């Protein structure tokens, strides 16, 4: 029965790749991008896409840490390949396909459902908290300064920041393994164990640092693109990093927007307003979207090949 399922997987991958190509052609203003292209910009786009793609192995490492808190041991190579091969699914409207395909591949590989759900939930909280911390800090040291944050953004951070902070403290302050929690005489602790327990500082803090590093790497790549495309110096590294980190969070929360399309770009323009004129900002956010699409496509191709080789070994557990 393995061969029919493998063939079906290849067909699904081909269909997803075709959909992504169609999505790319229809969502990018090619005429505007052509006017901004040069050899220097193309080289910067390639470098930035590589840096964006590098967040997947970092995320795979962080996922392995979170899974270790569940008592599971998995090879980083397999987790990274699984994450990479599901990247294009986030462009399917609804923001569900990526998570569904990730869950299907993980559970097919033998991952326990509780471990999958709890680590994905922990990953979401930690990545969102990292986006707020990196975004606010980098915006504060940017040329415009935190005082230039739009009122709507400040209002959103005033309620979202404390919620994420409380969730982060809960994850990082106490270690409660699901195995020990299941034997607790306290009903609340047993319920917490069924939800996956709490990872504690030794697991949560390194994972949080990995997600923060992801935003910084993406910011470096986008800053290189800004410099190569002749954007004003006000679009400095802290500002573009802050704009991406905060707009990623809003795009992630936006229901139905494929990979935050439109929502993220709109928020980036707002956060970058004043650093360049509107025409320049529009070109920059289009270049930034192209970087993420190229990075996702590279991850999909590499991840597909990597997963095929990894599966041939017959064991994804370390």
């Amino acid at each position: 029965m393995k061969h029919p399922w493998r063939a079906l997987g290849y067909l699904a991958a081909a269909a997803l790749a075709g959909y992504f190509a169609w999505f790319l052609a229809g969502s990018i203003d090619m005429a505007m991008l052509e006017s901004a292209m040069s050899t220097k910009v193309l080289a910067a786009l390639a470098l930035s896409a590589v840096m964006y793609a590098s967040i997947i192995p970092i995320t795979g490492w962080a996922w392995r840490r979170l899974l270790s808190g569940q008592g599971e041991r998995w090879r980083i190579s397999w987790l990274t390949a699984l994450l990479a091969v599901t990247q294009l699914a986030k462009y399917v409207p609804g923001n569900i396909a990526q998570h569904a395909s990730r869950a299907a591949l993980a559970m097919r590989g033998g991952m326990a459902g509780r471990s999958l759900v709890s680590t994905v939930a922990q990953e979401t909280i930690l990545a969102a908290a990292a986006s707020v911390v990196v975004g606010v800090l980098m915006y504060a040291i940017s040329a415009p300064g935190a005082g230039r944050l739009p009122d709507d953004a400040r209002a959103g951070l005033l309620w979202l920041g404390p919620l994420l902070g409380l969730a982060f403290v809960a994850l990082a302050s106490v270690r409660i393994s699901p195995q020990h929690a299941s034997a607790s005489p306290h009903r609340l602790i047993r319920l917490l164990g069924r939800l996956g327990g709490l990872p504690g500082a030794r697991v949560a803090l390194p994972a949080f640092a990995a997600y923060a590093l992801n935003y910084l790497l993406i910011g470096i790549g986008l800053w290189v693109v800004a410099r190569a495309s002749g954007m004003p110096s006000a679009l400095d590294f802290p500002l573009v990093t802050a704009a991406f980190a905060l707009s990623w969070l809003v795009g992630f929360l936006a229901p139905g927007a494929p990979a935050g399309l439109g929502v993220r770009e709109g928020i980036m323009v707002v956060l970058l307003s004043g650093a360049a004129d509107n025409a320049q900002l529009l070109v920059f956010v289009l270049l930034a979207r192209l970087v993420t699409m190229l990075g996702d496509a590279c991850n999909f191709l590499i991840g597909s090949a990597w997963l095929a080789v990894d599966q041939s070994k017959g064991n994804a557990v370390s």
Side-chain angles (χ1 to χ4, degrees), residues 50-276:
V50 169
M51 299 192 73
Y52 178 82
S54 70
I55 73 174
I56 293 301
I58 295 174
T59 303
W61 178 87
W63 191 16
R64 186 176 188 268
R65 296 281 303 188
L66 295 176
L67 284 165
S68 71
Q70 302 297 312
E72 298 204 21
R73 299 290 184 270
W74 296 88
R75 292 205 313 271
I76 295 176
S77 62
W78 186 78
L79 296 174
T80 298
L82 190 152
L83 289 167
V85 82
T86 56
Q87 287 306 293
L88 294 193
K90 70 186 180 185
Y91 293 94
V92 176
N95 284 345
I96 296 176
Q98 180 189 11
H99 303 292
S101 58
R102 176 179 175 182
L105 288 174
M107 295 181 71
R108 183 184 170 193
M111 189 178 295
R114 183 185 67 185
S115 298
L116 171 68
V117 173
S118 61
T119 54
V120 170
Q122 292 166 10
E123 174 188 287
T124 301
I125 292 171
L126 293 172
S131 75
V132 172
V133 170
V134 171
V136 172
L137 289 179
M138 296 302 282
Y139 212 108
I141 65 175
S142 69
R148 289 282 303 277
L149 269 172
D151 291 338
D152 290 344
R154 274 200 292 262
L157 290 173
L158 282 177
W159 66 265
L160 185 59
L163 288 177
L164 288 172
L166 288 174
F168 174 74
V169 169
L171 291 178
S173 61
V174 181
R175 166 64 176 153
I176 302 178
S177 70
Q179 294 80 11
H180 288 108
S182 62
S184 174
H186 303 289
R187 181 180 301 177
L188 184 60
I189 300 298
R190 291 198 303 272
L191 174 61
L192 186 60
R194 285 195 289 271
L195 296 175
L198 296 173
R202 291 184 64 183
V203 171
L205 292 181
F208 174 84
Y211 302 134
L213 176 61
N214 284 345
Y215 297 116
L216 295 176
L217 288 174
I218 295 170
I220 292 172
L222 295 182
W223 174 72
V224 170
V225 170
R227 298 280 65 77
S229 56
M231 296 293 162
S233 59
L235 282 175
D236 56 11
F237 163 62
L239 182 58
V240 297
T241 303
F244 182 89
L246 295 176
S247 63
W248 173 88
L249 180 61
V250 176
F252 176 80
L253 296 175
L261 184 68
V263 178
R264 183 186 299 164
E265 282 74 18
I267 295 298
M268 282 191 72
V269 168
V270 171
L271 293 174
L272 296 172
S273 62

Side-chain angles (χ1 to χ4, degrees), residues 15-50:
L16 191 58
Y19 172 81
F20 176 75
W22 172 82
F23 182 89
L24 174 62
S27 60
I28 296 291
D29 189 336
M30 296 300 179
M32 181 171 288
L33 286 179
E34 285 177 9
S35 66
M37 288 301 175
S38 65
T39 302
K40 182 188 293 186
V41 172
L42 289 174
L45 286 173
L47 176 61
S48 185
V50 169

Side-chain angles (χ1 to χ4, degrees), residues 296-317:
D296 287 333
C298 289
N299 274 321
F300 175 77
L301 294 174
I302 296 172
S304 298
W306 197 347
L307 194 59
V309 172
D310 232 40
Q311 285 178 338
S312 67
K313 298 177 182 178
N315 184 20
V317 181

